[in-house]
C-alpha cells in the first residue's frame, strides 16, 4: 500500500519590524494567495502572533520557506517563517 505523504504547515511568525505590506506581498507571490486571503492571513499573524500560510508536502513546504526567507533577507526584512508537521 502506498501511504499519503505527510503534510507540513508553513507558519509565519509575528515581529515588530517586518512591514504588513511585505507580508502581503510574500503571501501573494510565493503562496499564491488572493489580496483578500493575504490580508486575512497577515492580520491573523499580526493579532495572534503566528499564522498558517499553507499546508504542503515536505519538499514544497521547505521550498516555500526557503524562498520566503531568501526574499525577506534580500529586502532587509527580519520575517521568520517555519514549517512543522500537521
Amino acid at each position: 500500500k502506498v501511504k499519503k505523504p505527510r503534510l507540513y504547515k508553513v507558519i509565519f511568525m509575528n515581529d515588530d519590524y517586518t512591514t504588513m505590506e511585505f507580508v502581503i506581498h510574500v503571501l501573494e507571490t510565493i503562496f499564491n494567495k488572493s489580496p483578500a486571503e493575504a490580508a486575512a492571513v497577515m492580520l491573523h499573524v499580526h493579532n495572534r502572533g503566528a499564522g498558517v500560510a499553507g499546508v504542503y508536502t515536505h519538499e514544497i513546504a521547505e521550498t516555500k520557506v526557503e524562498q520566503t526567507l531568501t526574499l525577506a533577507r534580500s529586502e532587509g526584512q527580519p520575517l521568520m517563517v517555519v514549517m512543522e508537521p500537521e
Side-chain angles (χ1 to χ4, degrees):
K1 253 187 172 178
V2 177
K3 288 175 23 177
K4 286 186 177 181
R6 189 170 191 185
L7 297 177
Y8 292 80
K9 298 183 280 188
V10 177
I11 302 170
F12 277 51
M13 310 304 278
N14 188 39
D15 63 61
D16 294 331
Y17 304 101
T18 304
T19 64
M20 293 179 179
E21 293 80 9
F22 181 76
V23 172
I24 289 173
H25 171 71
V26 169
L27 289 166
E28 289 176 352
T29 58
I30 295 176
F31 293 86
N32 300 314
K33 301 284 186 196
S34 70
E37 289 174 314
V41 172
M42 179 277 298
L43 286 173
H44 182 86
V45 172
H46 179 70
N47 292 325
R48 303 245 171 108
V52 176
V55 179
Y56 309 95
T57 60
H58 185 271
E59 293 79 15
I60 294 171
E62 193 173 55
T63 299
K64 290 193 179 286
V65 167
E66 188 59 39
Q67 289 174 330
T68 301
L69 293 176
T70 299
L71 179 60
R73 298 310 169 258
S74 74
E75 296 288 326
Q77 300 286 343
L79 179 62
M80 190 67 203
V81 181
V82 297
M83 61 185 262
E84 66 181 40
E86 186 171 52

